[in-house]
Amino acid sequence: GGGGGGAGGAAAGIGAGFRGPEDEKAELIRQRKRKMEMLRRRKKRFAQLQAQAGVSAQDLEKLKEIKEAEAAPKPGAGPLKLKFALKAAPPPKPKGKVKGRRGDDEDDYTDYGGPRKTTTRFRGSRRDEILQEIIESLQRDRNCDAFNVPVAKKIVPDYREFVDRPMDLSTIMKNLRRAGGYDTAESWMQDVRQILTNAKLYHESEEEVLMRYPAIITAAQYLVDECDKAVERRAADLKLADQFFDAEKVLGRPLSAEAREAVDNVAKMVFPGGVTASGAPVALPPEEEPREDDQPAPKEEPREDDQPA
């Protein structure tokens, strides 16, 4: 009622000061009413979403204060000045592949946490294709939607204060498709578990955080459990693609009897010498050449003296 009265009053005010044909005046009043109604609906929808997300007005005010504090100039800094630096244009990057070594001061991971580009025997391998299929199935799962993309700083400004190594499914997929990918399936599984670790670091923090949602931890645990089950289901395929794949080492637990039997069958088919407890193939022992001592003694021909008379 109040919103309608406000819209009607505004429309009446427009009509009172308008000079022109009646149809143009009526159209202007109609458009004004429509804009006021759309604004009212947006406010109502915003309030509903705010209530569903559990974000209070105090949280929004706190975010606003933080943003204003970051934008405000520091005391004693004086007026802002624009500085221009004349620098020579960087040389163009060479096209194609460049041979070289990575410097000693660089680690094996990028700033975001994924493995650097390396040349390994698994480039474009079937093993990485299977791991991609597992990640794609998680990306399609609606229960894992919160982990499909990185956490945006604009939405959770204090996230990086609690999480040093952010991780999400799109980043894991990017690392799999990159030249070199993951050196081992264990490092891939560590990144999957890093999603759960990050959820606990932020949402179970003893310090105050801007947005605390315990349901995120439950969803992250579900993601890790589903990935664990998928690896166990595909253990035989992964063993066939990578002879060094050790399912129990990746999962950190023994395989089920059915999965262990499937892996053993693959190992017997591909590795006749068998495999060790860790899943590594055992080389067949080389065939020994017969020694002189092992040669059968030649038969002696009967002599004339031994012939019967």
Side-chain angles (χ1 to χ4, degrees):
I14 294 172
F18 184 81
R19 295 291 184 269
E22 290 295 327
D23 54 346
E24 292 183 7
K25 181 172 69 174
E27 177 64 20
L28 188 59
I29 293 174
R30 188 185 67 81
Q31 291 180 5
R32 178 63 177 174
K33 287 182 177 180
R34 184 179 179 184
K35 289 181 179 179
M36 296 295 292
E37 179 63 20
M38 290 176 62
L39 181 61
R40 185 188 67 80
R41 290 181 180 180
R42 287 177 183 174
K43 289 182 177 179
K44 183 179 179 181
R45 180 58 178 165
F46 177 78
Q48 292 175 350
L49 293 175
Q50 182 178 345
Q52 292 175 3
V55 180
S56 63
Q58 295 179 353
D59 294 335
L60 296 176
E61 283 294 328
K62 191 170 183 179
L63 288 173
K64 184 178 179 182
E65 291 175 2
I66 293 174
K67 189 173 181 180
E68 291 177 353
E70 291 177 352
K74 297 181 180 179
L80 298 177
K81 295 181 180 180
L82 296 177
K83 295 182 180 181
F84 297 91
L86 298 177
K87 294 183 180 179
K93 295 183 179 179
K95 296 182 179 180
K97 298 179 180 179
V98 179
K99 295 183 179 180
R101 282 186 69 182
R102 177 165 50 85
D104 295 335
D105 58 337
E106 294 183 48
D107 55 13
D108 293 330
Y109 288 86
T110 60
D111 293 338
Y112 193 77
R116 293 188 181 276
K117 293 183 180 181
T118 56
T119 302
T120 70
R121 63 187 180 279
F122 295 121
R123 177 177 294 180
S125 71
R126 175 58 183 158
R127 183 206 70 170
D128 283 357
E129 290 178 0
I130 296 173
L131 298 181
Q132 288 182 32
E133 292 170 3
I134 294 175
I135 296 299
E136 287 173 352
S137 66
L138 295 174
Q139 289 177 320
R140 292 191 297 268
D141 194 328
R142 296 300 303 272
N143 295 318
C144 304
D145 284 349
F147 314 107
N148 279 336
V149 295
V151 177
K153 186 177 180 180
K154 291 183 178 179
I155 299 178
V156 190
D158 64 338
Y159 187 73
R160 292 304 298 270
E161 297 178 12
F162 299 88
V163 177
D164 295 328
R165 188 170 177 263
M167 188 56 59
D168 63 279
L169 295 176
S170 66
T171 300
I172 296 174
M173 182 65 74
K174 188 188 302 181
N175 293 338
L176 282 169
R177 291 172 176 170
R178 172 164 29 199
Y182 288 94
D183 289 337
T184 62
E186 290 92 325
S187 59
W188 167 82
M189 193 65 184
Q190 287 174 2
D191 276 357
V192 174
R193 293 196 177 103
Q194 187 68 37
I195 295 176
L196 174 59
T197 301
N198 294 342
K200 292 181 178 179
L201 285 173
Y202 185 82
H203 296 283
E204 286 185 349
S205 173
E206 296 179 357
E207 301 179 20
E208 185 179 357
V209 296
L210 290 177
M211 297 183 182
R212 188 186 300 274
Y213 298 119
I216 293 294
I217 300 175
T218 304
Q221 183 66 61
Y222 169 85
L223 180 146
V224 173
D225 292 343
E226 289 300 307
C227 184
D228 187 283
K229 296 175 185 176
V231 171
E232 186 170 30
R233 286 195 301 268
R234 305 295 300 273
D237 296 334
L238 288 164
K239 185 64 179 178
L240 185 62
D242 176 10
Q243 64 178 2
F244 297 99
F245 175 77
D246 186 351
E248 294 186 353
K249 188 175 179 182
V250 172
L251 299 177
R253 62 172 177 82
L255 288 173
S256 64
E258 183 180 358
R260 169 50 58 190
E261 182 181 1
V263 171
D264 290 343
N265 291 337
V266 169
K268 291 176 183 177
M269 177 180 63
V270 181
F271 314 114
V275 294
T276 63
S278 62
V282 176
L284 290 173
E287 296 182 0
E288 295 184 359
E289 296 182 359
R291 296 178 299 177
E292 294 181 359
D293 299 342
D294 299 334
Q295 296 290 340
K299 294 182 179 180
E300 294 184 0
E301 295 181 1
R303 293 179 299 176
E304 294 181 0
D305 299 342
D306 298 334
Q307 295 292 333

